[in-house]
Amino acid sequence: MTGRRIVIVNDFSVARGGATGLAVLSAELLAAAGEEVVFLSGDDGGAPRLEEAGVRSIGLGGAPLLGRSKASALIGGLWNARAARFLSRWIAAEGRPGDVYHLHGWSKILSPAVFAALRPVRASLVVHAHDFFLACPNGAFWHYGADAVCMRRPLSAACLGAACDRRSMGQKAWRVGRHMLRQAAFAFDTTGPEVLLIHHAMEPFLVRSGFASERLTVLPNPVAPATALPVAAAENSGIVFVGRLDPEKGALAAAEAAAAAGVALTLVGEGPERAAIERAATPGAPPPKITGWLDRAAVTATIRQARALVMPSRYPEPFGLVAVEALREGVPVILPRHALLAGDIEAAHAGMAYDAGAAGALEAALRHVAQEDAPVAKMSAAAPAAAERLASTPEGWRDGLLAAYDRALSRAHGTAEASLVVAG
């Protein structure tokens, strides 16, 4: 059998949003379009959502790095030999000539080892850049010590000497080692696979890191159409945050700024900063409300009750799907100027960008949105149209994926023909 089959590779098979949510959504959309899809994951696999969509889900049975012992995470994060064997054996035993492979997330379980396993199918591979881990050791192009975007070339002398990791130089050294292993296992040059970027502003970062610009394609993340009319956000109260409660996402910073501004803040998510956020309330200010993780419908309902969504990521967030989902509902977005969507949202008059390096800037932005009805009403009215411009539709995104798969198979066919000519 030589018909096209799509093999998706990702750390997880169960989505909590982000890259895994998109990987799972792609499998569902492709299966619904009549494509044969296999989903290979680092976790247990067999996810009900995938099985219900008619997608064959197979898992390694691995655990994420943060759920392992320190020694296991140290070694497995550098090179997960089990993951390499799992993927190599599957390709050898079940791979077909018409298969196209799509790698999504790999840094949480699978490790750089999957790139070695994917080398034999390199010609028919598509790689999704949901973040910057392909190009930057700390995955963010962000100097956490200086709280600034990092413009150094990865693995240059300036990069190696920079104390940019959010934990320690020891952690930086480990991340550099992992990045070097990824580079040794797989090259993203002019003969490499196509890399799908979720925002056009990612391109200069990857080109500076040695990626071939002709292999980079921008495919904005999909946002489903609204199921109800947009809200009039100026009639709402409070601010909402949706995401992991950790330093990178800026959850505690949002809670502290909201407390200082006397603004009610609802946080949808879980993470290591939960206890600190609960202590962030100040006398006379509304205490932060933490809902934990909610399903998609409940997240949307929570967003629709807010005056604005805050996305205070400490690094250049490449997209921020929740931001566009908020805009779709008519809810303005507050985000730092270094977020890649910031310029787009400001230009559309659908939100506010603040200078993350300026003391009190986030507090001032939250206070302004909480107190000023007219600007919020204007941003709310502009938000739905901005969402349409910034994101793909699910169908358009699916078609973009299929086009990338066609290009990959065309390259693989050309590579095979060239090999036959050389052999002849």
Side-chain angles (χ1 to χ4, degrees):
M1 186 173 182
T2 59
R4 178 172 64 187
R5 180 175 61 170
I6 298 154
V7 183
I8 296 173
V9 182
N10 190 57
D11 279 321
F12 303 102
S13 61
V14 177
R16 286 288 190 191
T20 296
L22 291 167
V24 171
L25 176 62
S26 74
E28 292 173 325
L29 292 172
L30 293 164
E35 300 287 339
E36 183 181 359
V37 184
V38 179
F39 199 104
L40 305 180
S41 61
D43 62 9
D44 291 337
R49 184 174 158 188
L50 291 170
E51 299 288 354
E52 289 168 8
V55 174
R56 186 180 172 202
S57 175
I58 306 167
L60 167 66
L65 298 183
L66 293 179
R68 304 185 198 177
S69 69
K70 188 173 181 178
S72 175
L74 178 69
I75 297 170
L78 286 173
W79 195 265
N80 188 336
R82 281 188 64 219
R85 289 194 298 271
F86 164 70
L87 189 52
S88 293
R89 288 171 179 172
W90 190 91
I91 292 171
E94 300 198 41
R96 301 174 187 167
D99 288 345
V100 59
Y101 294 81
H102 188 163
L103 176 63
H104 284 269
W106 54 272
S107 63
K108 302 294 191 298
I109 298 178
L110 297 173
S111 85
V114 296
F115 290 96
L118 289 167
R119 268 201 307 258
V121 294
R122 186 172 186 262
S124 56
L125 174 66
V126 173
V127 179
H128 223 114
H130 295 284
D131 50 39
F132 286 118
F133 271 114
L134 283 173
C136 171
N138 75 13
F141 281 106
W142 184 254
H143 194 303
Y144 285 95
D147 261 344
V149 175
C150 179
M151 302 303 292
R152 299 168 179 83
R153 182 170 55 83
L155 301 190
S156 66
C159 166
L160 296 177
C164 62
D165 195 86
R166 67 186 178 96
R167 294 189 180 92
S168 66
M169 279 300 287
Q171 178 77 3
K172 166 71 180 286
W174 179 86
R175 290 183 185 274
V176 165
R178 179 170 72 168
H179 195 73
M180 293 175 70
L181 288 170
R182 201 282 295 155
Q183 285 195 331
F186 204 97
F188 284 90
D189 53 21
T190 54
T191 66
E194 185 172 352
V195 179
L196 301 180
L197 310 181
I198 60 179
H199 192 277
H200 64 85
M202 297 180 75
E203 183 170 351
F205 287 97
L206 270 71
V207 170
R208 188 170 74 246
S209 306
F211 284 67
S213 60
E214 59 266 39
R215 286 288 197 257
L216 304 178
T217 301
V218 179
L219 183 61
N221 286 340
V223 171
T227 58
L229 291 175
V231 300
E235 299 176 6
N236 293 344
S237 61
I239 308 294
V240 65
F241 167 97
V242 180
R244 297 191 310 274
L245 307 184
D246 67 17
E248 288 187 349
K249 293 296 185 180
L252 178 58
E256 291 174 340
V263 175
L265 176 69
T266 298
L267 301 103
V268 178
E270 283 288 356
E273 287 193 326
R274 178 170 185 139
I277 290 168
E278 290 172 338
R279 295 192 298 267
T282 58
K289 176 185 176 183
I290 303 175
T291 68
W293 293 116
L294 301 175
D295 62 29
R296 190 176 304 177
V299 171
T300 299
T302 304
I303 289 173
R304 287 176 64 87
Q305 296 169 10
R307 275 177 85 85
L309 177 134
V310 62
M311 190 181 79
S313 301
R314 289 185 63 194
Y315 63 100
E317 182 92 53
F319 193 80
L321 191 59
V322 68
V324 183
E325 290 173 340
L327 296 175
R328 174 195 63 186
E329 303 299 332
V331 175
V333 174
I334 303 169
L335 71 174
R337 205 167 298 282
H338 58 247
L340 301 193
L341 282 178
D344 301 317
I345 290 175
E346 271 201 316
H349 306 291
M352 291 181 61
Y354 64 91
D355 184 356
L362 177 53
E363 176 189 339
L366 295 178
R367 183 180 290 110
H368 177 77
V369 167
Q371 296 177 354
E372 302 295 331
D373 288 344
V376 172
K378 182 179 178 181
M379 291 186 287
S380 178
E388 286 188 19
R389 292 194 295 271
L390 293 175
S392 303
T393 64
E395 295 75 20
W397 187 64
R398 176 205 63 204
D399 292 345
L401 295 177
L402 289 171
Y405 300 155
D406 287 340
R407 291 190 293 270
L409 290 176
S410 178
R411 286 193 299 272
H413 182 67
T415 301
E417 285 189 342
S419 298
L420 288 174
V421 170
V422 172

